[in-house]
Amino acid sequence: MNQSGAQILLQSLEKKNALLDQMILQNSVQETILKQEEFDMDAFDAAIDQQSTYVDELDKLDRGFEAVYDRLREDIIVNKDRYRTEILRMKEQIQQITDKIVTLNAGNMRNKMLAENQFKKKKSEIASGTSKNRVATNYYNSMNNLHYVSPQFYDNKK
């Protein structure tokens, strides 16, 4: 492995680290939206779309890192002493990435529970509105029939 290969791997890990920071920030934005009393579905959709973009970028970084590492693996194994500082920096970056992934997963689980609660709340509001609409329709129909009095002295026999 040459120095530029080691630098490419380090840069990839640094970009991944920065991207995970953005994802954690976006996760907190989602949590704020989900904790609001009045749920804003448009803002939540925008936050989910942004998170999806970050996930796509993260996937590209992972594939690129793996491709470069696969090409350079033998040289890294053979020349460990030569690349000791780069390997230590990569280990440090990987540890930070691992910690951030754990934080991100915990936030995603919290947001999932908050989203489920918001969706249950909206579902009950919709069901309540449907029920109120049905009651109002029944009341309207029964009130319209109150003014209609069928003939009392009409002989039905022919």
Side-chain angles (χ1 to χ4, degrees), residues 59-117:
D59 190 42
K60 287 178 188 176
L61 282 172
D62 283 342
R63 283 183 278 153
F65 181 87
E66 300 238 350
V68 172
Y69 181 75
D70 287 342
R71 284 195 333 243
L72 304 173
R73 180 181 333 184
E74 289 299 319
D75 195 25
I76 291 174
I77 294 171
V78 172
N79 299 313
K80 285 183 184 178
D81 293 335
R82 184 174 165 195
Y83 301 108
R84 180 172 303 279
T85 58
E86 287 87 359
I87 291 171
L88 289 175
R89 287 178 55 200
M90 282 187 241
K91 283 183 178 180
E92 185 179 297
Q93 289 291 322
I94 290 171
Q95 181 61 44
Q96 290 175 5
I97 288 169
T98 303
D99 292 344
K100 289 177 183 178
I101 288 173
V102 169
T103 301
L104 191 60
N105 286 338
N108 283 337
M109 293 302 290
R110 262 192 321 273
N111 286 351
K112 180 182 176 190
M113 290 177 13
L114 289 170
E116 287 174 355
N117 290 339

Side-chain angles (χ1 to χ4, degrees), residues 123-140:
K123 184 178 177 182
S124 68
E125 287 175 8
I126 290 170
S128 174
T130 303
S131 174
K132 288 177 183 177
N133 191 15
R134 190 176 320 117
V135 168
T137 302
N138 288 341
Y139 177 77
Y140 176 76

